[in-house]
Amino acid sequence: MRTGDESYDYSLQRSLRDKFNNLFYVLGHCPESEQEQKIEELNEIIDEMDGSAIHWTFTKDLFNKMDKMIEEKKLSMENAIVLLKHLGHRAVLVGYLCSKLRDSSLRKRIEKMIIEENEKKEGRKEKLMIDLCESYLLLSATEIFEELFPISVPCLLNVALKKEGNEKTQKEVEVALLALSCIDKYEV
């Protein structure tokens, strides 16, 4: 039996899903100069979502749409990663395994990018590599591509071992450790 509070929570979470979906649609039609602001707004909505709202919002279809937006240059990969990292962080905090990424074209894009970036001898973008690995581990639910395990773990361990005391570095270390803490649930 539901109480009024449970019904309100359901309504609130449904409202958050609707807001997210509407804003995500707008994101694909706004210039890149406005995307960062829209991503911040989307992340604020994600911060209010519980596991159920995440489950019903972040579907395979949404991840495929995000991949298509990247392919069509309607969304930069950098902005997509900001959104994905935030989603992964929130999903782990609310105890939700975000399994919908598993069969999406976006997952394949992320895996390919990690492998390609790792193979670069010169010009490797460390920040991109870290962000890709964190996003991948936080969102891969219970399964990661076997070839990515020995790439992602050392990359994030290097971040976790930073000893600088500033707030930005501390946040980077915390996210890396959170991503690494997800490893125990993976089937490799």
Side-chain angles (χ1 to χ4, degrees):
M1 187 166 128
R2 291 186 174 208
T3 65
D5 290 345
E6 290 170 355
S7 174
Y8 172 75
D9 190 44
Y10 173 79
S11 297
L12 173 64
Q13 295 301 315
R14 183 179 180 98
S15 171
L16 290 171
R17 290 192 321 258
D18 291 343
K19 280 184 196 176
F20 184 92
N21 288 328
N22 291 335
L23 189 55
F24 186 79
Y25 175 79
V26 170
L27 179 68
H29 294 71
C30 70
E32 190 170 344
S33 60
E34 295 177 26
Q35 282 187 1
E36 282 186 34
Q37 176 60 36
K38 299 292 184 214
I39 297 286
E40 285 180 31
E41 292 174 38
L42 288 166
N43 285 342
E44 288 173 8
I45 295 170
I46 290 170
D47 284 340
E48 296 181 51
M49 290 182 168
D50 64 10
S52 176
I54 291 171
H55 172 79
W56 292 109
T57 304
F58 292 91
T59 62
K60 177 183 170 184
D61 185 49
L62 185 123
F63 288 125
N64 285 337
K65 283 179 188 175
M66 190 180 294
D67 186 54
K68 187 174 182 181
M69 289 167 61
I70 294 166
E71 184 71 31
E72 294 174 349
K73 309 246 187 275
K74 292 181 178 179
L75 177 65
S76 71
M77 189 64 196
E78 291 78 15
N79 284 337
I81 289 172
V82 170
L83 183 62
L84 292 170
K85 260 179 69 169
H86 197 83
L87 166 64
H89 186 259
R90 179 66 182 165
V92 171
L93 290 180
V94 298
Y96 177 72
L97 297 176
C98 200
S99 62
K100 306 290 177 72
L101 181 70
R102 184 178 323 162
D103 299 319
S104 71
S105 57
L106 182 59
R107 178 178 176 170
K108 291 175 181 83
R109 176 183 298 274
I110 293 170
E111 290 172 342
K112 182 179 177 198
M113 288 180 73
I114 291 171
I115 291 168
E116 288 174 354
E117 198 64 32
N118 185 59
E119 290 174 349
K120 288 182 180 178
K121 301 293 182 212
E122 291 181 23
R124 180 173 165 178
K125 300 174 185 171
E126 289 301 317
K127 175 77 171 121
L128 174 63
M129 186 68 166
I130 292 165
D131 290 341
L132 287 168
C133 290
E134 287 173 345
S135 299
Y136 184 72
L137 290 179
L138 289 169
L139 292 171
S140 289
T142 59
E143 179 181 283
I144 64 171
F145 183 52
E146 188 174 328
E147 191 173 340
L148 294 180
F149 192 77
I151 296 171
S152 298
V153 172
C155 175
L156 296 182
L157 281 174
N158 285 335
V159 175
L161 293 173
K162 287 184 179 178
K163 296 187 187 222
E164 296 174 31
N166 68 44
E167 191 174 319
K168 182 181 180 202
T169 303
Q170 187 62 33
K171 180 69 175 171
E172 289 172 1
V173 168
E174 288 173 10
V175 174
L177 288 172
L178 184 63
L180 287 168
S181 74
C182 296
I183 290 173
D184 71 333
K185 66 184 178 213
Y186 297 131
E187 293 176 21
V188 181

